[in-house]
Amino acid sequence: MSSTNAIMYTPWLDAMRQIAGHHGLSVSQENLTRMMAWERGVALESAMVRIARRVGLEGRVLQDVPCERINQTLLPAMLELKDKGVAVLY
């Protein structure tokens, strides 16, 4: 993975680490970066779901769902913000 791609995905991988830690799972940034490299050519949403499963989480993609409509059993969740930033909703 090029350094540009690694930087682009870093916020997503940081969010994945936060969620894994919330569930008592330990995963290193290095391992997540390697997993992301294996997903080259795969849509970001699909890659995140597949990586989540590899680290012991469950993932799915929801689009255009207001935060207040997200079922609390799905939390914590990664959110892509309008400015393309990433946040973790607890």
Side-chain angles (χ1 to χ4, degrees):
M1 177 182 323
S2 73
S3 62
T4 302
N5 284 344
I7 291 168
M8 183 173 81
Y9 296 128
T10 297
W12 289 98
L13 300 178
D14 288 345
M16 181 80 66
R17 277 190 75 201
Q18 285 181 31
I19 292 170
H22 177 82
H23 289 287
L25 302 170
S26 178
V27 60
S28 72
Q29 191 71 23
E30 183 179 329
N31 282 342
L32 288 173
T33 301
R34 283 187 189 137
M35 289 181 208
M36 193 68 208
W38 297 335
E39 300 293 335
R40 186 177 17 186
V42 175
L44 177 62
E45 296 87 354
S46 297
M48 289 294 104
V49 169
R50 289 162 53 144
I51 292 170
R53 289 182 182 144
R54 282 192 205 123
V55 301
L57 299 169
E58 184 178 327
R60 69 181 98 173
V61 177
L62 303 174
Q63 293 182 327
D64 300 321
V65 177
C67 290
E68 61 272 2
R69 300 231 24 225
I70 296 175
N71 187 320
Q72 285 192 324
T73 60
L74 300 176
L75 300 180
M78 288 188 283
L79 306 176
E80 181 177 26
L81 306 175
K82 288 181 181 180
D83 68 357
K84 301 298 180 189
V86 179
V88 176
L89 178 65
Y90 289 93

